[in-house]
Amino acid sequence: MIPPASHNSTTLVLRRTFTATRPRVFRAWISPVALERWLRPAGMSLTVRSLEACVGGSFRFEAEDGSYIVGTYLQVAPPEKLVFTWLRESADSRETIITVDFLDQGPLTEIVLTHTGLSTTEQHILLANGWSSLLNALASLLSATHLDT
């Protein structure tokens, strides 16, 4: 269950444009092979243990340090939008919500990533740097012409 947002909760919003079509960028967010190549917290390897990209479906990712990221899809609208819960399992973690809007710009795609329910400004800053790094890795993956995500 998602805890109610407190008056201390923060929201992170990032925008990024990729040199790839909207369907291709969308697929990179729901393809286990693609996710394992770009969604690598702190550069660690990541294994997709389960992923069911449909409303009510869930995912479970395992990082090489043994930590897990789990979530449930709340909205899946290919290739326009994904909304899902996000929980990195640790003693002090709490479930947050991530919305990714995929905006068609012809041969380019802009995404707007909104991460809500963050508990502190420090967490907000850490996630901003973390998500920026992950989106850089996604851009590199999408620029690889040999990969069909």
Side-chain angles (χ1 to χ4, degrees):
M1 173 165 233
I2 300 168
S6 72
H7 66 282
N8 293 335
S9 70
T10 60
T11 298
L12 167 69
V13 178
L14 294 173
R15 300 178 87 88
R16 178 73 185 256
T17 301
F18 298 95
T19 307
T21 63
R22 185 164 70 159
R24 188 162 188 243
V25 177
F26 185 90
R27 283 191 308 270
W29 282 80
I30 61 169
S31 161
V33 171
L35 286 165
E36 288 179 352
R37 294 192 58 191
W38 73 267
L39 189 66
R40 301 164 53 104
M44 293 183 279
S45 66
L46 180 96
T47 302
V48 175
R49 294 291 181 203
S50 65
L51 187 144
E52 186 181 4
C54 62
V55 174
S58 62
F59 59 83
R60 183 176 182 92
F61 308 144
E62 180 180 349
E64 73 180 68
D65 67 358
S67 65
Y68 285 88
I69 300 166
V70 296
T72 301
Y73 290 98
L74 305 174
Q75 184 177 354
V76 179
E80 300 168 5
K81 185 176 216 157
L82 283 174
V83 181
F84 50 91
T85 63
W86 180 268
L87 175 66
R88 183 167 183 131
E89 294 180 350
S90 68
D92 61 347
S93 63
R94 63 189 220 136
E95 194 170 61
T96 57
I97 297 178
I98 296 175
T99 300
V100 185
D101 290 296
F102 300 82
L103 308 175
D104 189 0
Q105 306 289 336
L108 306 175
T109 301
E110 180 181 14
I111 67 160
V112 180
L113 184 146
T114 306
H115 197 153
T116 61
L118 303 174
S119 60
T120 65
T121 302
E122 179 181 9
Q123 186 179 15
H124 178 106
I125 292 167
L126 289 172
L127 283 171
N129 294 336
W131 276 117
S132 293
S133 174
L134 294 172
L135 295 178
N136 287 340
L138 175 58
S140 293
L141 176 71
L142 291 169
S143 69
T145 57
H146 66 280
L147 180 71
D148 184 29
T149 54

